[in-house]
Amino acid sequence: MTRTSTPVDAPGADAWEGLVTTALLGTDRRTPPGTAPGPDAPLALLDAAAVETVRRRAGLRPARAAERPQAAPEDSRPALPPAAARRLALLLADRPGPSGGGRRGAAPDLTELLPQWLAVANARGFAPPPQVLPALLDAARGRTDLRPAALEFAGPRALWLARLNPDWRFALRATPGGGAALPHLQDDDTVRQLWQEGLFAERVALLSALRSRTPAAARDLLATTWGTERAEDRLMFLDSLREGLGPDDEPFLEQTLADRSRNVRATAAELLSALPGSALAARMAVRAEACVAIDHMRSAQQQATEAGGDIPGRTTQPGGTTQTTATIAVEAPHECDPGMERDGVVAKAPAGRGERSWWFGQLVEAAPLGTWSRRLGGRTPREIVALPVADGWQGELHAAWCRAAVRQRDAAWSRALLGDPSAPEAGGPGAVSLAERAKLLGTLGAAERAEWVAGFIAAHGLSEAFQLLGVCAVPWAAPLGRAVVDALNIARDAGSYPWSFSGVMGLAERCLDPSEAARLDALLAVPDEPENASPGAGGYWAEAFQRLVTTLRLRAAMAEELGAA
């Protein structure tokens, strides 16, 4: 039988402690046993420590062997092709350089290619070579953005290793349930037992898995223990209902509007407002309609003052006829009553916000967007957004419509609020920030999203496009890729400060379609620098385009090695 050993703890333990104490106090104050004070005391202390060290190392007594760890689980996925395995080893061996302000040169950044490699490998369903798992876990340990894809690729053996090495325990925390196997979801007794007795992470994993498969069963399971859950747990569990949200969830969510936790009530109200047919949405529609209307008085006054010539609010139609433009009037609520608070309206406004505008914005964003066509004369979303809003309420009203369009995933309203990408405002009448534009774009299909951003770049360049590019599908569609490359080329020819485009260039390395590499060969030469160009800008641009082309070709080779060309 294999045996390990443990140090002998008598009598040497006390002797060693005595020597340590003597060293701490100093031999002037305390000498080793059997040694007289004087200049020889330090040497005697060192000799005694050396003898005791040898004795402690040699004096071991046999002990029972430790239990062997369980064997690593099998991974039934197909093995990586040899070329792809070699590529993975190179990507994992690369280490990012110091984050200084110097030039990056023309060499590709392999660390930025690892996420894409993992995405393709996971899509193809490959298993990693066992020998790369430690390096893969080390890479995921240092980069939280890499963990989901890395742990998916590493598979069950990553969790087995994480239980043996404390440095990799993040894998247990990052995996729902800490890697614990979920019961068969059709085994009602086992599912109910895990839900009642499991750890919090196990219960979250169980609820999420059940919700993705049988939404009603997950909701019913949550209802069995809802009244005894902690507030923070109720909030997490309620958030899991976003997946598969439907009308059948309304009765449960309506009950949670009376929850004692304000955050839980707010989440329930948000989920209900995402269901345009819910009772809460109807209540919010009634409240919002009372605040917004066509100002007929103002339109009548405009019509009465028409006496020839151009006047504000009147447009000339074909045939010489005129049409008066309607105006939206807003009357914000004067109080936040208990019914509004129960339906998720937060009564206390943030610092710097007026109470009435704060309440008004919450009502409008929770009301079904279909409300406004009925309320405002049957107009389309684009026609409604084009209407002027009286008394300075346009920004508040349109911002609330933006939030409603994102929450309700309404593409028609998103298009109206984004407007034409080439418009002078470059964001439409309702998008007051790049973040809002990005969220609105997220409700559109991938092709339409790419087309809009391409138009934005063609009209306004790259200076404000970085955040918008981040919501576009990868690899970029051909029109978007051409727009980005053309804008970079224009910036280079204009002698623009090159480092200000480094973020977009890095994004292009990861997101451009690799088939674009051949079209970029003409940009590799060092250009003639304009008179007002930044010193050395031409060489920087040439290096940047060389790195871009090399990276695109490397990505194409990676895809081919993984069989995904």
Side-chain angles (χ1 to χ4, degrees):
M1 181 177 67
T2 303
R3 292 181 177 273
T4 58
S5 301
T6 56
V8 176
D9 48 10
D14 292 340
W16 180 256
E17 292 297 330
L19 292 173
V20 171
T21 302
T22 300
L24 291 173
L25 293 175
T27 54
D28 291 340
R29 300 175 60 185
R30 177 173 176 175
T31 58
T35 304
D40 294 334
L43 294 177
L45 174 62
L46 294 177
D47 289 342
V51 170
E52 183 61 24
T53 298
V54 173
R55 194 201 70 80
R56 284 165 59 85
R57 290 178 176 176
L60 299 175
R61 81 172 47 125
R64 181 175 296 277
E67 182 179 354
R68 293 188 177 213
Q70 294 181 352
E74 293 294 329
D75 195 333
S76 60
R77 296 174 295 176
L80 275 175
R86 290 192 294 270
R87 179 74 65 188
L88 174 60
L90 290 174
L91 295 177
L92 291 173
D94 189 69
R95 292 290 181 268
S99 57
R103 291 160 68 156
R104 290 177 53 194
D109 186 350
L110 298 185
T111 60
E112 291 302 322
L113 294 179
L114 183 57
Q116 287 198 4
W117 189 98
L118 289 171
V120 178
N122 286 332
R124 301 287 292 174
F126 287 121
Q131 64 270 21
V132 305
L133 285 175
L136 184 62
L137 288 171
D138 282 340
R141 180 190 178 196
R143 290 183 57 179
T144 56
D145 64 305
L146 200 64
R147 289 180 183 179
L151 293 178
E152 179 185 352
F153 179 64
R157 291 176 176 174
L159 301 174
W160 179 81
L161 287 171
R163 295 187 182 97
L164 301 175
N165 186 346
D167 289 343
W168 298 331
R169 289 296 175 89
F170 70 87
L172 302 178
R173 297 190 297 269
T175 304
L182 292 175
H184 198 287
L185 297 182
Q186 293 180 343
D187 186 347
D188 294 339
D189 293 337
T190 306
V191 166
R192 192 178 302 107
Q193 181 179 5
L194 180 59
W195 176 251
Q196 294 175 349
E197 302 176 4
L199 300 175
F200 174 71
E202 294 173 332
R203 301 176 74 208
V204 170
L206 174 64
L207 191 64
S208 299
L210 195 59
R211 182 69 177 179
S212 64
R213 180 168 178 170
T214 313
R219 183 189 62 247
D220 294 342
L221 183 66
L222 177 59
T224 61
T225 60
W226 181 259
T228 60
E229 304 287 355
R230 300 184 305 168
E232 54 269 31
D233 294 350
R234 294 199 303 276
L235 184 62
M236 290 289 292
F237 292 145
L238 191 62
D239 198 63
S240 70
L241 299 186
R242 293 182 188 276
E243 182 174 358
L245 182 67
D248 291 342
D249 297 317
E250 182 181 357
F252 176 77
L253 293 173
E254 187 73 27
Q255 291 178 0
T256 61
L257 291 176
D259 196 272
R260 54 188 179 276
S261 167
R262 186 182 69 179
N263 291 333
V264 172
R265 295 196 302 271
T267 301
E270 179 188 347
L271 294 175
L272 284 168
S273 66
L275 297 172
S278 67
L280 178 137
R283 295 193 296 270
M284 288 299 197
V286 171
R287 295 175 180 127
E289 284 180 332
C291 299
V292 178
I294 293 294
D295 190 344
H296 297 288
M297 180 70 70
R298 186 171 306 206
S299 298
Q301 290 174 349
Q302 289 176 347
Q303 293 172 354
T305 57
E306 289 181 3
D310 294 333
I311 64 169
R314 187 175 65 180
T315 57
T316 302
Q317 303 298 313
T321 61
T322 60
Q323 178 181 358
T324 303
T325 302
T327 300
I328 295 178
V330 172
E331 179 67 24
H334 291 271
E335 65 172 347
C336 182
D337 58 47
M340 290 167 59
E341 289 195 64
R342 181 184 181 276
D343 284 345
V345 176
V346 178
K348 186 175 181 181
R353 288 289 302 274
E355 284 186 334
R356 295 182 64 198
S357 64
W358 171 245
W359 301 331
F360 172 73
Q362 293 179 80
L363 295 181
V364 173
E365 74 174 285
L369 287 165
T371 300
W372 304 113
S373 181
R374 299 190 304 269
R375 178 64 171 167
L376 302 176
R379 293 175 172 85
T380 65
R382 194 176 295 274
E383 291 170 339
I384 292 172
V385 169
L387 292 175
V389 183
D391 302 325
W393 281 100
Q394 178 166 311
E396 190 70 49
L397 178 60
H398 286 192
W401 279 338
C402 282
R403 297 192 296 272
V406 172
R407 181 182 296 185
Q408 299 172 35
R409 311 297 298 173
D410 193 307
W413 272 88
S414 293
R415 294 186 193 101
L417 292 162
L418 281 166
D420 192 303
S422 62
E425 293 295 326
V432 297
S433 69
L434 286 172
E436 283 183 325
R437 296 171 203 168
K439 291 178 181 178
L440 290 170
L441 285 169
T443 67
L444 307 180
E448 186 177 1
R449 201 182 317 160
E451 183 180 0
W452 196 95
V453 177
F456 179 93
I457 293 172
H460 307 287
L462 292 168
S463 59
E464 294 187 353
F466 186 83
Q467 193 167 4
L468 304 180
L469 287 169
V471 301
C472 293
V474 177
W476 288 336
L480 177 58
R482 287 193 294 269
V484 172
V485 173
D486 290 345
L488 288 171
N489 193 22
I490 291 171
R492 181 189 69 159
D493 292 343
S496 299
Y497 191 64
W499 294 273
S500 61
F501 294 92
S502 60
V504 174
M505 187 67 78
L507 201 59
E509 293 171 15
R510 300 188 295 274
C511 302
L512 265 179
D513 193 310
S515 63
E516 295 287 322
R519 199 171 65 86
L520 299 175
D521 285 337
L523 304 177
L524 301 183
V526 178
D528 296 330
E529 296 184 1
E531 181 178 349
N532 297 326
S534 303
Y540 175 91
W541 281 110
E543 283 183 359
F545 280 116
Q546 178 64 63
R547 184 174 62 251
L548 175 58
V549 171
T550 305
T551 301
L552 293 179
R553 288 181 172 145
L554 181 56
R555 285 173 52 205
M558 286 166 38
E560 185 176 356
E561 292 163 356
L562 288 164

